[in-house]
């Protein structure tokens, strides 16, 4: 059983665990057939681990950003033409696909970790 919750602005790992524990306790208490064993966490949440579930079910906010970099800035900062940047991105995505990567975004972990710490959130969620 996978429990999916809406957590508003918070990532909510701790409250999700507490809520799921309450759901399981209610089910065990009220079930006509008592389970022999049950596990609160059996790895299906994949919290703090790269996984395909995060593409469908997110906790907190899901943010998608698009930016336009002017040709002049692309050359002066990246020392590459727009065509070279696009080609490099395409090659990188193909490499990630061949490697079996989950997701093909740029690596923003350090920035997200810093924001998590600054906002009092769990930085381990930035994986």
């Amino acid at each position: 059983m996978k429990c999916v919750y809406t957590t508003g602005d918070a990532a909510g790992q701790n409250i999700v665990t507490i809520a799921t524990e309450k759901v399981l306790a209610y089910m065990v208490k009220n079930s006509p057939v008592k389970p022999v064993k049950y596990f609160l966490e059996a790895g299906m949440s994949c919290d703090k681990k790269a996984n395909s579930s995060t593409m469908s079910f997110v906790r907190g906010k899901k943010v998608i950003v698009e930016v336009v970099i002017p040709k002049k800035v692309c050359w002066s900062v990246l020392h590459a033409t727009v065509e070279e940047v696009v080609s490099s991105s395409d090659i990188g995505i193909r490499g990630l696909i061949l490697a079996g990567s989950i997701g093909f975004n740029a690596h923003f972990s350090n920035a997200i970790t810093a924001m998590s710490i600054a906002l009092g959130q769990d930085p381990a969620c930035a994986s």
Side-chain angles (χ1 to χ4, degrees), residues 94-113:
R94 283 194 294 277
L96 290 166
I97 291 168
L98 290 170
S101 179
I102 300 171
F104 311 116
N105 61 324
H107 180 70
F108 298 109
S109 185
N110 290 344
I112 293 171
T113 298

Side-chain angles (χ1 to χ4, degrees), residues 26-48:
Y26 177 85
M27 290 172 62
V28 168
K29 180 180 176 184
N30 294 289
S31 176
V33 178
K34 301 297 180 204
V36 176
K37 286 187 180 181
Y38 67 94
F39 298 89
L40 175 60
E41 171 60 69
M44 285 183 62
S45 70
C46 296
D47 281 348
K48 304 173 188 172

Side-chain angles (χ1 to χ4, degrees), residues 49-92:
K49 296 163 199 69
N51 66 86
S52 61
S53 291
T54 58
M55 301 303 193
S56 302
F57 304 104
V58 296
R59 294 184 184 157
K61 295 290 185 186
K62 181 176 186 176
V63 178
I64 298 172
V65 177
E66 183 175 311
V67 64
V68 176
I69 302 173
K71 288 181 182 182
K72 182 188 260 185
V73 173
C74 192
W75 181 255
S76 67
V77 174
L78 301 175
H79 306 289
T81 66
V82 171
E83 294 76 20
E84 290 170 329
V85 171
V86 170
S87 175
S88 175
S89 175
D90 290 345
I91 290 167

